[in-house]
Amino acid sequence: MYLPSEDSLLLAESVKQYTGKSALEIGVGSGIILKILHDNFKIVAGTDVHIMSLKYCKDNLPNDIMLACCDAASVFHYTFDLIVSNPPYLPIENHKTKDYAINGGSRGIEMTLHFIRSGISILDIKGKMLIISSNLSDTTELEEYMSEMNLKKTIIKERKLFFETLQSIEISFEWFLLPF
């Protein structure tokens, strides 16, 4: 289970300003974000591939939060007002063994892209996605994908640490670019 750190706290601060009908967290970890979502949304769901994270959340959070052991948002066909994630975003260095809780792939952005691709299909047309990103990741492919998909990126909060800069990024559909 991923224990809350600076990135989780940044996402928690950012999530507090959102309210609505339905919210999904991809990669629930310890559940600190689910707790905030539960206060601000009527329907709350969370996913994780680690059964121990889900068990911890089940035992320590309100029982009306839906939890699913799955890859990203793969089990959902319901649309959400808000989808949030603190994906693994650190690049794998020098062919070290991958730590799935923190390593997002060779460039650090692969898991973030996977989570966004999985979530975008179930995001309400007026909905928002909120993700954490690091300057240590190569975000070139993320920027290209967002452009191809007519997605708008807004930096909500930023936190500079001694070794990296973290950003809380809101992703939404570009209204003027949507085909009608």
Side-chain angles (χ1 to χ4, degrees):
M1 175 171 58
Y2 183 75
L3 297 175
S5 192
E6 289 294 329
D7 48 4
S8 302
L9 299 176
L10 178 63
L11 184 58
E13 289 171 23
S14 301
V15 165
K16 288 178 183 177
Q17 69 184 4
Y18 294 87
T19 59
K21 184 179 91 175
S22 58
L24 169 67
E25 181 179 16
I26 298 173
V28 299
S30 69
I32 68 163
I33 306 302
L34 283 176
K35 206 179 283 187
I36 298 166
L37 292 173
H38 187 263
D39 291 340
N40 295 348
F41 290 84
K42 292 179 178 146
I43 299 168
V44 177
T47 69
D48 209 300
V49 294
H50 300 288
I51 195 73
M52 293 311 293
S53 291
L54 295 167
K55 182 173 177 1
Y56 181 85
C57 290
K58 183 180 184 315
D59 293 344
N60 292 286
L61 295 174
N63 63 6
D64 60 338
I65 296 174
M66 293 177 280
L67 298 170
C69 187
C70 67
D71 177 37
S74 63
V75 299
F76 290 100
H77 300 285
Y78 179 86
T79 58
F80 290 90
D81 300 330
L82 180 68
I83 299 174
V84 301
S85 184
N86 178 13
Y89 54 76
L90 293 177
I92 298 172
E93 297 177 4
N94 303 323
H95 307 292
K96 290 183 181 176
T97 303
K98 182 175 182 177
D99 179 345
Y100 290 96
I102 61 171
N103 295 125
S106 61
R107 295 181 321 275
I109 200 68
E110 291 86 348
M111 288 303 294
T112 300
L113 281 166
H114 175 61
F115 286 5
I116 291 171
R117 286 181 179 125
S118 180
I120 206 75
S121 65
I122 58 168
L123 183 65
D124 185 82
I125 196 72
K126 294 179 183 176
K128 312 281 186 199
M129 287 187 84
L130 202 57
I131 61 164
I132 296 296
S133 181
S134 168
N135 68 316
L136 300 177
S137 298
D138 178 1
T139 59
T140 306
E141 191 176 349
L142 174 63
E143 299 295 334
E144 290 170 2
Y145 176 75
M146 290 179 59
S147 177
E148 288 170 15
M149 295 299 293
N150 297 324
L151 299 171
K152 177 182 170 187
K153 172 184 159 184
T154 306
I155 297 170
I156 302 299
K157 290 186 179 284
E158 190 171 84
R159 181 159 297 144
K160 293 180 190 288
L161 306 173
F162 70 94
F163 58 94
E164 72 180 325
T165 300
L166 299 171
Q167 292 181 332
S168 175
I169 298 171
E170 179 188 274
I171 299 169
S172 59
F173 293 106
E174 289 275 16
W175 280 96
F176 64 91
L177 295 176
L178 289 175
F180 291 99

